Amino acid sequence: MVHRRLIKNGTVISMDDQVGDFPRGDVLIEGQKIVAVGPDLGEVDAEVVDASGQIVMPGLIDTHRHTWQAFLRGIAADWTLGQYMTGLHLGLSAFFTPDDTYAGNFVGAVEALDSGITTLLDWSHNVNTPEHSDAAVTALRDSGMRAVFAHGGGADMYQVPSVVPHDLDVRRVRDQYFSSDEGLVTMAMALRGPQFATLDITESDLALARELGLAVTMHAGDGEWGRSGPIRQLHGRGLLGPDITYVHLNTLGDDELALIAESGGMASIAPDIEMQMGHGWPATGRLMAAGIRPSLSIDTCVSNSGHMFGTMQITLAAQRALDNTEPGASDRASVSLSSRDVLSFATTEGARVCGLEQKVGSLTPGKQADILLVRADTLSLAPLNNPIGQIVYTAHPGLVETIFVAGNIVKRDGTLIDDLGKRACRLATEHRDDLFERAVRTEKLADARIGGTWQPAPLAAG
Ligand SMILES: [Zn+2]
């Protein structure tokens, strides 16, 4: 018989309007799936998981993270975007062996999972050899989370403007690991787009993705680079489509947002990184006005935190700051963006971007059981006066008590199973030490160091 679990007496946030929310409710899981959600499912022949004092909600979804960088966390906390390019992309990234890529992806995935992110789109753009791709995919699989491996090729593809076509190893990866789209880890293609590659190359890259049946994720509209009209250029060639997710979108014109909306395209915004690195104001409000509901992403942990609670809070705070500087703001009768909107970005909209809207993103009978139990009987959350408002504005990863992925418990009583967390911390330190040791032996990175004092030379203008 399929194993059944009854999550009982929690405060249920379903993120499904048909199902609704319950101040006190139950969720029944059968095998991998949710089979019932209600205020009281009564006596059921199932293992009971007591959720009293806890919020029961869908797992969070991050739609863009350069996961391989995880063990370099913090090094760019006081760097500009130019220093990030020289220190990391033109610096440390070349020293990544396949084992380092495994460690980075494993550490980043486990960090995300522990904080309540059950689905992660891994924007993997430092896979310099087939072995790097193998390592990245294997690490995602070993983490136990749901993930989308977005193949982004290696450093040789990022000499801007690039005339190098996307690495054809993407075909092998598709055949070898993702012949089915039904696994816990699925595949997409992370393309450079017109900001990094020529339009001809972009056209052939998109044709390849569409031939392989892979959804596309592409940076567009970040900082000054984003003002070159990337969406207008794609539109001019008839390349826009509902299979593309655009990442950032800060400096795109309103006409470009309208073109994306018209084509059915999707959005991933990373407000925390965007404000830190200088991409521009988060496009949240402008996207909503254009009829596009964005998903949320962490982007990179080299300066910012890796959890979605921080990103949700910053998304809401940034939009309200913008709204409140508008003329007549103090006379407004209500806010433009609600905490429920923001939680939907991190759940249902994220699922759509990952091509998983039929499977995850809400507590809906028939969907996969990707579920969080978040402690609410704590100094920071009790009493619950507005559960969604408090999840978005006050919760943090330390409150994520229990996590289900596809019906399996991967975190219980505040601790990840199978010593995943301990293994990730050990790998992070070992690979960080080893990478820096190799890097400082070279002339180019002789000054690289940990501790917070390393200031790489900024990117030369031109
Ligand atoms: Zn990115």
Side-chain angles (χ1 to χ4, degrees):
M1 192 187 130
V2 184
H3 191 67
R4 282 150 69 99
R5 284 199 180 98
L6 181 66
I7 302 173
K8 202 148 183 62
N9 292 331
T11 296
V12 176
I13 299 172
S14 74
M15 297 312 286
D16 179 330
D17 293 343
Q18 306 296 316
V19 172
D21 297 338
F22 309 102
R24 193 181 170 92
D26 304 344
V27 178
L28 181 62
I29 303 171
E30 202 170 277
Q32 296 187 2
K33 290 184 176 176
I34 296 166
V35 292
V37 183
D40 180 7
L41 298 179
E43 289 293 309
V44 179
D45 180 20
E47 178 194 339
V48 172
V49 177
D50 179 20
S52 49
Q54 302 184 67
I55 291 169
V56 183
M57 59 180 280
L60 299 165
I61 299 176
D62 172 2
T63 56
H64 151 241
R65 179 185 307 221
H66 308 295
T67 320
W68 58 274
Q69 302 172 345
F71 64 75
L72 298 175
R73 68 186 66 191
I75 63 162
D78 297 313
W79 291 0
T80 65
L81 179 56
Q83 288 178 299
Y84 166 75
M85 296 309 287
T86 52
L88 215 129
H89 282 290
L90 303 171
L92 292 174
S93 68
F95 292 87
F96 271 70
T97 63
D99 283 350
D100 294 327
T101 298
Y102 177 92
N105 257 30
F106 184 77
V107 170
V110 169
E111 172 197 12
L113 181 61
D114 185 55
S115 73
I117 293 169
T118 50
T119 302
L120 169 71
L121 186 141
D122 173 28
W123 219 104
S124 191
H125 64 339
N126 194 41
V127 284
N128 292 317
T129 67
E131 290 73 30
H132 285 83
S133 289
D134 294 342
V137 172
T138 305
L140 293 176
R141 289 186 168 178
D142 288 355
S143 75
M145 79 185 312
R146 194 181 299 280
V148 180
F149 173 69
H151 185 282
D156 63 330
M157 286 168 40
Y158 277 83
Q159 307 299 324
V160 182
S162 180
V163 292
V164 180
H166 196 101
D167 179 5
L168 289 177
D169 187 52
V170 68
R171 285 182 187 280
R172 176 195 64 88
V173 175
R174 176 65 157 151
D175 291 345
Q176 186 172 337
Y177 296 101
F178 303 102
S179 54
S180 152
D181 292 322
E182 294 305 310
L184 203 57
V185 183
T186 51
M187 188 176 175
M189 253 175 101
L191 298 189
R192 293 156 294 176
Q195 285 179 216
F196 296 90
T198 64
L199 207 48
D200 286 341
I201 289 294
T202 300
E203 185 163 6
S204 66
D205 287 355
L206 274 163
L208 177 61
R210 286 165 179 164
E211 180 210 321
L212 295 175
L214 296 172
V216 168
T217 171
M218 178 190 289
H219 294 109
D222 39 325
E224 288 308 314
W225 301 329
R227 296 189 198 279
S228 55
I231 305 302
R232 275 173 230 131
Q233 294 174 44
L234 291 169
H235 175 66
R237 293 262 182 125
L239 297 174
L240 299 175
D243 54 346
I244 306 177
T245 298
Y246 307 90
V247 177
H248 296 309
L249 310 96
N250 313 69
T251 50
L252 298 179
D254 284 338
D255 62 315
E256 295 187 286
L257 301 188
L259 289 171
I260 292 172
E262 210 173 278
S263 69
M266 295 175 283
S268 172
I269 59 170
D272 199 357
I273 277 289
E274 290 161 5
M275 294 200 291
Q276 197 283 123
M277 286 193 172
H279 293 2
W281 285 104
T284 324
R286 295 175 55 224
L287 286 164
M288 297 286 274
I292 302 166
R293 294 180 69 83
S295 65
L296 297 182
S297 58
I298 302 301
D299 195 347
T300 171
C301 297
V302 293
S303 49
N304 299 47
S305 75
H307 59 84
M308 192 54 81
F309 295 102
T311 284
M312 289 194 290
Q313 189 180 339
I314 282 173
T315 301
L316 196 50
Q319 187 55 45
R320 290 190 178 166
L322 284 169
D323 291 346
N324 288 330
T325 56
E326 298 266 303
S330 54
D331 300 328
R332 192 180 287 116
S334 62
V335 294
S336 73
L337 186 72
S338 69
S339 46
R340 183 180 285 275
D341 284 327
V342 173
L343 188 57
S344 78
F345 300 164
T347 53
T348 49
E349 297 306 327
R352 214 158 54 79
V353 162
C354 292
L356 296 169
E357 66 272 30
Q358 304 299 324
K359 282 193 172 172
V360 296
S362 61
L363 303 184
T364 302
K367 281 194 178 181
Q368 294 273 300
D370 288 11
I371 302 173
L372 310 184
L373 272 59
V374 181
R375 286 236 76 88
D377 53 354
T378 65
L379 272 175
S380 51
L381 284 194
L384 282 180
N385 299 317
N386 175 352
I388 291 181
Q390 287 167 273
I391 281 289
V392 170
Y393 256 138
T394 44
H396 59 80
L399 300 173
V400 179
E401 184 83 350
T402 302
I403 304 177
F404 294 82
V405 174
N408 291 316
I409 294 183
V410 297
K411 185 178 184 182
R412 191 196 288 267
D413 301 327
T415 303
L416 290 171
I417 59 162
D418 298 339
D419 278 336
L420 281 172
K422 281 187 190 151
R423 181 167 176 240
C425 287
R426 182 173 53 75
L427 280 178
T429 307
E430 282 175 11
H431 285 266
R432 188 278 313 268
D433 288 350
D434 192 55
L435 190 86
F436 270 84
E437 207 180 293
R438 279 178 280 126
V440 296
R441 276 194 247 124
T442 63
E443 196 184 332
K444 192 169 142 195
L445 286 177
D447 63 337
R449 62 179 59 81
I450 57 166
T453 54
W454 179 31
Q455 289 283 322
L459 198 61

